[in-house]
Amino acid sequence: MIKQAKKFALEAHGDQKYGTHPYEKHLEDVVSHLKDFGDNAIVIGYLHDVIEDTEVSYQQVKDTFGSFIADCVAIVTDEPGTNRKERKKKTYQKMSNVSGDLELALTVKAADRLANIKACLIDSNQSLLNMYKSEQSVFKSSVYRKGLCDSIWSQINDCFDI
């Protein structure tokens, strides 16, 4: 299913870029942080932006990969809003209520954030890095679960020198 998810995501994202890079680089960066969390985490990692950033629907993800994967992708998908602040407020509220097996989505979200932060550091994108740093407290309070993916959180803290 991993190869299928990668192919599905790459086709959905098409020629999209992540900054100046092909979108595949971002997906591979996210997935690289998920190797220790199982195949489902990797599948969700590849699919994590397809509902939010492409024409793919929740139903298409569900029909192709099943309810659990689709539900996890939906959890990491930003809620609608007129601006980033409104979208993130709704999305973080949704994530703060996640429990049980669906917490795997939170591991993927943390891996996505780590990949975003590292990309900012590599590309010297200080303004985007500052935005992530300013959101860190509310992001962590919504997504962090003790013992869930502490290695990822440790790396995020290291990036911010926390």
Side-chain angles (χ1 to χ4, degrees):
M1 189 163 35
I2 292 171
K3 287 180 182 179
Q4 181 185 10
K6 180 178 180 177
K7 183 177 187 283
F8 185 95
L10 292 176
E11 287 175 2
H13 286 289
D15 292 334
Q16 278 182 338
K17 297 280 189 188
Y18 181 81
T20 60
H21 306 283
Y23 212 84
E24 181 175 9
K25 178 173 180 3
H26 173 62
L27 297 179
E28 293 297 342
D29 289 346
V30 172
V31 166
S32 73
H33 300 299
L34 295 169
K35 302 289 187 193
D36 294 337
F37 298 96
D39 289 356
N40 280 343
I42 294 169
V43 169
I44 298 160
Y46 278 121
L47 300 173
H48 79 277
D49 279 336
V50 296
I51 296 173
E52 183 175 318
D53 293 341
T54 76
E55 297 300 315
V56 171
S57 70
Y58 168 86
Q59 191 62 49
Q60 286 173 288
V61 176
K62 182 178 177 184
D63 290 347
T64 307
F65 298 97
S67 294
F68 177 75
I69 298 295
D71 289 348
C72 286
V73 173
I75 288 166
V76 300
T77 298
D78 273 356
E79 294 297 308
T82 57
N83 56 47
R84 180 178 175 87
K85 184 176 181 180
E86 185 179 314
R87 288 189 307 271
K88 293 302 180 185
K89 181 178 179 180
K90 291 177 182 178
T91 303
Y92 295 160
Q93 179 61 43
K94 170 181 66 176
M95 289 183 202
S96 69
N97 293 316
V98 171
S99 63
D101 290 343
L102 291 174
E103 287 180 341
L104 185 59
L106 304 180
T107 297
V108 173
K109 189 62 178 178
D112 178 36
R113 181 56 60 104
L114 178 58
N116 291 340
I117 293 166
K118 285 186 170 185
C120 289
L121 293 169
I122 291 166
D123 294 341
S124 299
N125 189 337
Q126 193 61 47
S127 63
L128 196 53
L129 184 64
N130 288 342
M131 180 191 68
Y132 289 132
K133 194 168 190 175
S134 72
E135 294 175 349
Q136 180 60 13
S137 176
V138 68
F139 176 77
K140 188 170 183 177
S141 70
S142 302
V143 178
Y144 177 78
R145 304 294 188 278
K146 185 176 175 67
L148 183 63
C149 56
D150 290 342
S151 61
I152 293 173
W153 285 103
S154 177
Q155 291 178 69
I156 291 171
N157 291 340
D158 289 347
C159 288
F160 286 144
D161 294 322
I162 297 175

